[in-house]
Amino acid sequence: MKFKVAILPGDGIGPEVMDAAVAIMETLAQEYQVALEVSSHLVGGASIDEYDSPLIDDTLQACYDSDAVLLGSIGGPRWEGLPHDKKPERALLGLREALGLYSNLRPAKVYPAMVEASSLKPEFVRDTDLVVVRELTGGIYFGEPRGYDAQQGWNTLIYNREEVERIARVAFDLAGRRRGQVTSVDKANVLESSQFWREVVHEVQGDYPDVTLKDLYVDNATMQLVRQPSQFDVILTQNMFGDILSDAAAMVTGSLGMLPSASLGEHYALYEPVHGSAPDIAGQNMANPLAMIASVGMMFGTTCNLPQAEQILDKAIEITLADGFRTADIVAEQGEPVSTTEMRDRIAESLRRLMEEKRITASPA
Ligand code: NAD
């Protein structure tokens, strides 16, 4: 299989974590016979420094020409004084808009070795492995009319059938590759737009007889998320509820440096860590590369349609953590942190070990 990836390392720790992720991507590609074609481009502050723009047409074209985009992180104090439309972060919005990325997938997984890192009690977070599927380009953040005057402020929450159907399909497809449960989160007891959302989601479920569907009101869903997050598999929700729920779900895992994400559209896909450019630790080889590495895993599972590659990488992360290797952000009280590059090498080593075991098991005795 041929596969073109546009690499946008960006700013701060972006290039450091990207370097680690690309090494892992190459190891996986070799194992699963994917012929990678990789091109690297400046974005964000790095692009401003070189081209006076956070996202130039050539970079965008490279994304259009690729099967997937891998993005590191964008921004930093150096560019903070720039006017709003010149800021590095404009590149993110520009990419999402230009690539038509209407769904955002944010997994929150608590690895057994990391149970203590959560701010919740271990017995409540153990076995948590969920994904929030958030609608990204519709709903109240974009609805018209909107505005405010001296007496009132107003926004419009509107979803049309096509928007709900396509995001519901993303959630059902994903659940079909996971544990087969979708929880659709809405506020159908108060909002007509949510009653409509609920009806359409149930219609779509008709095409997915193997996936179960449960509805939850957003207030109850929030409560359940902090009460017992392990009950969820895929949470499907609209833009604003997803914005809030995905951050809450992230905190359940307790470590920003480990959260990957995917943003998908009809034709394009972008994978990036949830964290920012972490200027406080940039250039020190101490960033946690696992969020970026796990984003590569999502790319293999989703765009390359090789879930076995995503699973083996996930297992490699799990055993590396269980072996006690941690970067400074997640190191246990008495532990010695490893560097970004050492974490990369440890994951690569775990991966090679798992692949070797797989070959031995697969070969006839
Ligand atoms: P941040 O995510 O960059 O950092 C928050 C804290 O988490 C910092 O202490 C940082 O050291 C730590 N951290 C983050 N990622 C880490 C990792 N992989 N390993 C170890 N520690 C990690 O958020 P911030 O400080 O609010 O923002 C810094 C810059 O990043 C700003 O310019 C902001 O606009 C930008 N930002 C970019 C994105 C993106 O590119 N998608 C997202 C959020 C923030």
Side-chain angles (χ1 to χ4, degrees):
M1 181 205 296
K2 276 197 180 150
F3 200 75
K4 267 174 112 167
V5 187
I7 307 269
L8 315 180
D11 308 316
I13 60 169
E16 299 169 54
V17 295
M18 186 65 84
D19 170 72
V22 168
I24 301 298
M25 176 172 74
E26 284 167 353
T27 306
L28 275 175
Q30 209 174 7
E31 177 73 10
Y32 290 94
Q33 280 132 40
V34 177
L36 279 181
E37 198 181 307
V38 174
S39 65
S40 188
H41 310 271
L42 298 177
V43 74
S47 177
I48 293 175
D49 289 351
E50 183 74 21
Y51 307 116
D52 202 27
S53 160
L55 177 66
I56 61 166
D57 289 346
D58 282 359
T59 303
L60 199 50
Q61 190 57 49
C63 298
Y64 287 138
D65 294 341
S66 299
D67 298 299
V69 179
L70 277 183
L71 177 68
S73 55
I74 281 176
R78 248 174 81 191
W79 305 281
E80 249 156 39
L82 291 172
H84 189 61
D85 61 332
K86 290 258 168 69
K87 280 200 161 106
E89 288 78 3
R90 290 300 303 171
L92 267 181
L93 300 177
L95 278 168
R96 283 182 191 150
E97 203 174 289
L99 302 178
L101 306 174
Y102 62 80
S103 64
N104 184 236
L105 278 54
R106 294 251 303 248
K109 175 167 174 147
V110 177
Y111 293 95
M114 297 295 300
V115 162
E116 303 290 339
S118 174
S119 50
L120 301 181
K121 290 193 181 119
E123 61 265 35
F124 296 131
V125 293
R126 192 166 283 121
D127 299 329
T128 294
D129 180 4
L130 62 86
V131 182
V132 178
V133 174
R134 167 188 170 194
E135 201 287 329
L136 204 56
T137 52
I140 199 160
Y141 290 177
F142 295 94
E144 296 285 349
R146 60 194 297 152
Y148 72 98
D149 59 26
Q151 301 307 325
Q152 55 187 346
W154 61 95
N155 287 91
T156 303
L157 171 46
I158 183 164
Y159 270 108
N160 64 40
R161 175 168 287 278
E162 189 204 339
E163 287 171 322
V164 183
E165 276 182 8
R166 66 184 185 181
I167 191 73
R169 287 193 190 285
V170 171
F172 284 113
D173 282 335
L174 178 65
R177 300 195 300 273
R178 292 172 49 93
R179 301 193 302 280
Q181 301 166 33
V182 170
T183 305
S184 176
V185 173
D186 60 36
K187 192 69 186 168
N189 50 343
V190 178
L191 301 173
E192 285 79 359
S193 57
S194 275
Q195 288 167 10
F196 173 74
W197 172 283
R198 195 177 272 212
E199 272 180 34
V200 176
V201 170
H202 278 260
E203 280 171 34
V204 173
Q205 194 219 356
D207 294 339
Y208 297 85
D210 297 334
V211 178
T212 61
L213 171 62
K214 183 173 163 184
D215 302 295
L216 274 190
Y217 297 137
V218 64
D219 38 351
N220 187 13
T222 313
M223 215 160 63
Q224 298 297 332
L225 195 58
V226 291
R227 193 184 69 83
Q228 201 201 349
S230 59
Q231 69 183 285
F232 294 108
D233 179 16
V234 173
I235 296 177
L236 161 67
T237 194
Q238 58 166 282
N239 202 343
M240 184 165 69
F241 296 162
D243 192 2
I244 300 162
L245 284 175
S246 57
D247 270 23
M251 275 325 292
V252 167
T253 71
S255 47
L256 194 54
M258 294 185 53
L259 295 165
S261 80
S263 297
L264 311 175
E266 218 61 72
H267 307 290
Y268 303 104
L270 181 146
Y271 298 87
E272 61 179 324
V274 167
H275 62 72
S277 59
D280 50 337
I281 57 164
Q284 299 175 45
N285 194 21
M286 63 186 284
N288 185 345
L290 292 180
M292 189 76 241
I293 289 174
S295 301
V296 164
M298 290 186 84
M299 180 189 84
F300 275 99
T302 309
T303 307
C304 302
N305 202 17
L306 286 169
Q308 63 276 40
E310 182 176 7
Q311 282 155 13
I312 202 167
L313 176 55
D314 192 50
K315 191 79 197 153
I317 294 173
E318 184 177 327
I319 62 176
T320 307
L321 291 169
D323 286 345
F325 298 107
R326 314 271 170 91
T327 42
D329 56 316
I330 53 170
V331 77
E333 236 165 68
Q334 310 293 330
E336 261 301 298
V338 299
S339 63
T340 311
T341 42
E342 183 171 358
M343 189 55 129
R344 172 198 66 193
D345 295 344
R346 294 288 177 186
I347 298 285
E349 198 181 300
S350 303
L351 203 50
R352 275 191 288 271
R353 219 184 326 147
L354 287 168
M355 288 165 175
E356 193 52 41
E357 280 168 18
K358 186 168 65 96
R359 268 189 289 273
I360 292 169
T361 322
S363 63

